[in-house]
Amino acid sequence: MSRIGNKIIKLPAGVTVSRGDNNVVVKGPKGEISQYVDPAFTFEQEGDEVKVLRPTEQKRHKALHGLYRSLVNNAVVGVSEGYKKELELVGVGYKATNQGNVLDLSLGYSHNVIFVVPEELKVATEMVKGQNPKVILEGSDKQLIGLVAAKLRELRKIEPYKGKGVRFVGEQIRRKAGKTAAK
């Protein structure tokens, strides 16, 4: 019995879900997302509620039931409300600026890092005196935002001694104790 797969997906006003051959298309006020779903799975829609039904009780179908329900639900939330991730650059002299979807990051290297964000996402930078620079990613595709945020974090991984690097806002870092002076 899949607890997640059996949950009902509530559709907000203005959001429609339609089934293609191998995918589900979710349309809403913030865009359109197409998500692959195994053709054996069916969708039952009653009013503003959608339920994902698995074809058999095979182990493979049970494993995918909750996954497909979560993917479709993420698409519904994305096209109605959208997703947002904030990253902060912690380190002396770290800076972030953007022109359109091109990020120019100064991360302590001998050169600036130029990062092109996909057109589906909106990017903004925020530099307030006395605070760490922030990069804000917004869009309707949760997977794409997570992927871009992970790639940005890889540009300067967090080091455990001083906590410098690119991290999510509010993320807790495990710090290590440094060397202690002899004598």
Side-chain angles (χ1 to χ4, degrees), residues 155-174:
L155 294 176
R156 179 60 95 169
K157 291 187 179 174
I158 300 166
E159 62 95 23
Y161 297 101
K162 291 186 178 178
K164 294 166 133 188
V166 180
R167 67 170 111 170
F168 293 113
V169 171
E171 182 181 0
Q172 296 294 316
I173 305 300
R174 269 184 67 183

Side-chain angles (χ1 to χ4, degrees), residues 14-16 25-34 75 78-80 140:
V15 176
T16 60
V25 179
V26 182
K27 294 180 184 175
K30 294 205 176 222
E32 177 180 319
I33 296 178
S34 177
V79 298
S80 60
S140 59

Side-chain angles (χ1 to χ4, degrees), residues 47-104:
D48 66 340
E49 295 180 343
V50 175
K51 190 169 185 176
V52 181
L53 303 172
R54 66 175 174 241
T56 64
E57 293 297 314
Q58 290 179 5
K59 190 172 186 178
R60 184 178 75 84
H61 288 148
K62 286 181 178 181
L64 294 173
H65 190 198
L67 170 73
Y68 288 144
R69 186 260 174 211
S70 293
L71 291 175
V72 172
N73 187 57
N74 288 344
V76 168
V77 172
V79 298
S80 60
E81 300 168 22
Y83 289 101
K84 180 179 181 180
K85 287 224 184 215
E86 294 184 17
L87 297 127
E88 63 181 341
L89 313 174
V90 180
V92 177
Y94 287 13
K95 295 178 187 149
T97 57
N98 71 308
Q99 291 180 342
N101 275 15
V102 178
L103 272 173
D104 185 5

